């Protein structure tokens, strides 16, 4: 993606006067893109409930409803940035918002899980054009000396969305049907479009890069095949199934072809030569692993709080608040630890905290005091805050200054891919362990119901509810099987986080020099977001 570097030309006075209002509009656009995923987190249990309350989505369908968005978003991020440079950032931003709003309205009215997955992919298409364009517009309406402050405020919108998303989703689900978590986007999109037409100037790069359609297609196909194979393996509770192995292998082969093509292309979507730098690769890997853990734990913790513990969606949203609060509190202050102890020590400690908190999930049961879960969420958010800031520093130090835009896009891409794989891998482990734990308790059910009931805890509880008094005996075994599956899944996630700690401990640099800190500081948030 072309770096949206500040122009040396004087910004027109009319634009300069309304720059903070423009920033507010850009933050509104960013807010709904990030808010949508955090709202959905508390709605997945409701969507899995049989109609008319939900759609009766299976666990694998829920995983696809989340991953359809993130995979399309990640796959198109670079191309969307280049098209914005070529066609005009305002035009692309307006178009992306319009597509996102249309996708939201259609998702709200989905009549089946398949329709929801398709419309979530459409929303991801729109979001991919919104995210890079907001930053590019920002860089063109602020003078260089104000850009660090503006970028910091822009990035704060992400933390705000993470914090208010689950609560907003809980309020909506307490009063309206499940589709309201998508429909809420529509009036916000309409407001953002109106304000954007009025306030935001257009801009474009006079020397835009070339679009790489072959690279985009290969990356999206490869990721979809890989994630599909992982999710299918969890659905079947058998990763040795020939179809599962073939799909995963095909995905890896397509991704390998993508890497080879990008190495030979004179206009690659992703410049894979960046990854020859071990420091850069370790930092990008840390971002992917953090979101692998975050999205995976969010996925199974919603079923723990709602299905096992009986909390409402709103209460679940409030329970997740410490995770976001810790990030908002400590992320701006993480540089103090970096200055004292260095990037390597701070990031390694953050990874180990996340590993410990994931392992702590293995100690939770149906009667654990809920304040312990709050402590786990808060410490997990603290660990994340002390990873993202130093990792952002490292990324900007590892590449030349003129590559700041590419580094930002890569961070975004790997964050999305890491989250998608976290849901796919940990979700599949959860599904496999649950099915294994509940199968021998379903022998008295008819064959058709037995298959359905084994898919997830919500499916088991749904069958139990339909059976009435005869199904009450399934509730206890379902909770026990889910808790065992959650413990196994959490320990797998902890092992991945320990691996991440080893990577950053081996390859990240230590304490930066004073000169490095001063030189790179303005670009920190760009890389992290």
């Amino acid at each position: 993606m072309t770096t949206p570097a500040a122009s040396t030309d004087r910004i027109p006075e009319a634009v300069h006067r309304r720059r903070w209002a423009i920033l507010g509009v850009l933050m509104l656009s960013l807010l709904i893109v990030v808010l949508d995923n955090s709202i959905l987190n508390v709605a997945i249990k409701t969507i899995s409930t049989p109609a008319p309350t939900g759609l009766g989505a299976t666990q694998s369908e829920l995983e696809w409803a989340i991953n359809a968005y993130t995979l399309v978003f990640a796959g198109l991020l670079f191309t969307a940035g280049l098209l914005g440079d070529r066609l005009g950032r305002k035009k692309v931003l307006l178009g992306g918002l319009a597509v996102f709003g249309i996708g939201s309205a259609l998702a709200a009215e989905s009549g089946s899980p398949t329709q929801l997955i398709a419309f979530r992919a459409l929303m991801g298409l729109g979001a991919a054009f919104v995210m890079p364009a907001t930053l590019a517009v920002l860089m063109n309406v602020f003078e260089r000396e104000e850009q660090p402050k503006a970028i910091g405020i822009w990035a704060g919108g992400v933390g705000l969305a993470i914090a208010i998303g689950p609560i907003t989703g809980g309020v909506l689900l307490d009063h309206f049907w499940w589709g309201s978590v998508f429909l809420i986007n529509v009036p916000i999109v309409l407001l953002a479009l109106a304000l954007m037409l009025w306030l935001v100037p257009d801009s474009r790069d006079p020397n835009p890069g070339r679009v790489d359609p072959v690279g985009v297609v290969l990356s999206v196909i490869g990721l979809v095949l890989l994630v599909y194979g992982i999710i299918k393996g969890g659905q079947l509770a058998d990763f040795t199934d020939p179809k599962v192995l073939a799909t995963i292998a095909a995905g890896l082969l397509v991704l390998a072809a993508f890497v080879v093509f990008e190495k030979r292309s004179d206009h690659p979507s992703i410049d894979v030569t960046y990854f020859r730098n071990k420091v850069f690769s370790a930092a990008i890997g840390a971002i992917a692993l953090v979101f692998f853990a975050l999205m995976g734990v969010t996925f199974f913790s919603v079923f723990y709080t709602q299905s096992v513990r009986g909390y409402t969606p709103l209460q679940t949203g409030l329970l997740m608040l410490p995770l976001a609060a810790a990030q908002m509190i400590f992320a701006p202050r993480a540089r103090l630890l970096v200055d004292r102890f260095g990037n390597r020590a701070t990031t390694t400690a953050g990874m180990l905290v996340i590993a410990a908190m994931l392992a702590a999930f293995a100690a939770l049961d149906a009667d654990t005091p809920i304040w312990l879960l709050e402590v786990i969420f808060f410490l997990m958010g603290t660990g994340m805050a002390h990873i993202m800031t130093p990792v952002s520093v490292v990324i900007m130090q590892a590449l030349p200054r003129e590559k700041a835009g590419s580094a930002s896009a890569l961070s975004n891409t790997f964050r999305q891919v890491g989250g998608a794989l976290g849901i796919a891998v940990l979700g599949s482990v959860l599904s496999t362990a649950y099915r294994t734990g509940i199968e021998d308790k379903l022998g008295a059910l008819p064959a058709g119901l037995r298959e359905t009931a084994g898919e997830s805890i919500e499916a088991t509880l749904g069958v139990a509810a339909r059976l009435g008094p005869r199904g009450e005996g399934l509730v206890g075994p379902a909770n026990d099987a889910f808790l065992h599956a959650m413990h196994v899944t959490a320990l797998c996630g902890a092992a991945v986080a320990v691996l991440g700690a080893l990577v950053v401990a081996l390859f990240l640099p230590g304490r930066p020099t004073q000169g490095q800190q001063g030189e790179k500081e303005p670009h920190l948030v760009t890389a992290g977001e």
Side-chain angles (χ1 to χ4, degrees):
M1 187 173 75
T2 304
T3 306
S7 174
T8 55
D9 297 332
R10 176 70 184 173
I11 293 172
E13 183 60 31
V15 173
H16 182 74
R17 282 199 304 269
R18 63 178 190 266
R19 65 196 185 283
W20 296 109
I22 293 170
L23 177 60
V25 179
L26 296 177
M27 285 186 63
L28 186 63
S29 306
L30 180 70
L31 184 69
I32 59 170
V33 170
V34 180
L35 185 72
D36 181 73
N37 264 353
S38 56
I39 279 183
L40 182 61
N41 287 337
V42 298
I44 55 177
K45 190 258 185 187
T46 305
I47 295 171
S48 69
T49 305
T53 303
L55 291 176
T58 65
Q59 187 157 303
S60 61
E61 288 169 337
L62 288 173
E63 292 170 31
W64 274 114
I66 299 171
N67 283 340
Y69 180 94
T70 54
L71 289 174
V72 172
F73 182 102
L76 294 177
L77 193 65
F78 273 84
T79 297
L82 288 171
L83 286 175
D85 291 345
R86 181 179 294 275
L87 302 176
R89 282 81 178 241
K90 181 177 180 178
K91 296 184 184 70
V92 166
L93 190 50
L94 289 169
L97 276 174
V99 171
F100 185 86
I102 292 168
S104 297
L106 293 172
E109 299 299 329
S110 298
S112 68
T114 302
Q115 289 182 5
L116 179 61
I117 292 167
F119 296 141
R120 286 279 296 164
L122 182 62
M123 292 169 67
L125 172 65
F129 285 85
V130 172
M131 182 72 82
T134 57
L135 182 58
V137 170
L138 181 154
M139 298 293 278
N140 278 277
V141 299
F142 282 90
E143 302 284 3
R144 178 172 288 275
E145 62 272 13
E146 284 188 322
Q147 287 173 3
K149 180 180 179 181
I151 292 173
I153 296 172
W154 174 87
V158 176
L160 179 64
I162 291 173
I164 68 174
I167 299 172
T168 305
V171 170
L172 290 170
L173 291 170
D174 267 8
H175 294 88
F176 306 102
W177 94 115
W178 65 266
S180 61
V181 300
F182 299 112
L183 199 61
I184 189 65
N185 294 330
V186 176
I188 303 175
V189 165
L190 292 174
L191 176 61
L193 287 172
L195 292 173
M196 203 168 292
L197 286 167
W198 176 35
L199 291 171
V200 176
D202 203 359
S203 63
R204 67 182 70 197
D205 190 331
N207 299 300
R210 291 168 58 192
V211 177
D212 176 27
V214 175
V216 170
V217 171
L218 287 175
S219 64
V220 172
I221 290 176
L223 285 171
V224 168
L225 286 172
L226 176 62
V227 170
Y228 178 82
I230 294 170
I231 293 176
K232 191 66 177 177
Q235 184 181 5
L236 297 174
D238 182 10
F239 283 89
T240 63
D241 183 90
K243 291 181 180 178
V244 171
L245 292 175
T247 305
I248 292 175
L252 293 173
L253 284 173
V254 173
L255 289 174
F258 166 73
V259 172
V260 171
F261 180 83
E262 295 299 284
K263 286 178 69 174
R264 296 179 178 178
S265 175
D266 58 357
H267 56 287
S269 289
I270 296 177
D271 191 340
V272 294
T273 60
Y274 294 164
F275 293 94
R276 293 174 184 167
N277 185 322
K278 292 181 180 179
V279 171
F280 179 82
S281 296
I284 286 289
I287 287 177
L289 288 170
V290 164
F291 280 87
F292 181 101
L294 176 66
M295 295 301 289
V297 76
T298 301
F299 186 81
F300 68 68
S301 65
V302 167
F303 288 100
Y304 171 70
T305 55
Q306 294 187 40
S307 299
V308 177
R309 301 300 296 263
Y311 287 100
T312 66
L314 175 56
Q315 291 169 330
T316 297
L318 292 170
L319 288 173
M320 290 184 176
L321 196 55
L323 181 70
Q327 293 179 65
M328 295 179 72
I329 292 169
F330 291 110
R333 297 168 174 82
R335 290 291 295 132
L336 300 175
L337 283 182
V338 172
D339 290 342
R340 183 167 183 178
F341 299 107
N343 293 311
R344 183 191 302 123
T346 303
T347 306
T348 303
M351 277 289 188
L352 290 176
V353 167
I354 286 181
M357 291 308 100
L358 281 166
F361 269 94
L364 299 180
D365 58 34
D367 302 314
T368 300
I370 203 65
W371 64 265
L372 286 175
L373 179 64
E374 298 298 87
V375 171
I376 291 172
F377 277 148
F378 185 82
L379 291 176
M380 182 170 283
T382 303
M384 286 190 64
H386 289 92
I387 294 169
M388 297 308 294
T389 297
V391 160
S392 299
V393 177
V394 170
I395 290 172
M396 301 318 298
Q397 291 175 347
L399 294 182
R401 180 182 290 272
E402 63 271 15
K403 300 297 184 183
S406 296
S408 174
L410 275 170
S411 296
N412 247 319
T413 300
F414 274 77
R415 183 181 68 183
Q416 296 292 334
V417 171
L421 289 176
I423 291 168
V425 173
L426 296 183
S428 293
V429 171
L430 184 74
S431 179
T432 302
Y434 180 78
R435 185 182 288 275
T436 302
I438 197 67
E439 270 182 340
D440 61 345
K441 308 294 192 301
L442 304 176
L445 297 178
L449 275 182
R450 196 182 311 141
E451 179 71 20
T452 301
E455 289 178 347
S456 67
I457 183 172
E458 275 306 302
T460 307
L461 295 178
V463 169
R466 290 205 301 272
L467 292 174
R470 291 187 300 136
E472 290 178 1
L474 289 176
V475 175
N479 287 341
D480 292 340
F482 178 83
L483 287 170
H484 172 71
M486 184 180 78
H487 297 162
V488 172
T489 305
L491 291 174
C492 289
V496 172
V498 170
L499 176 63
L502 289 174
V503 170
V504 296
L506 289 173
F507 296 112
L508 288 197
R511 186 182 305 174
T513 66
Q514 192 66 33
Q516 286 175 317
Q517 291 176 22
E519 180 183 354
K520 298 298 178 182
E521 189 74 16
H523 296 290
L524 295 186
V525 180
T526 310
E529 301 303 326

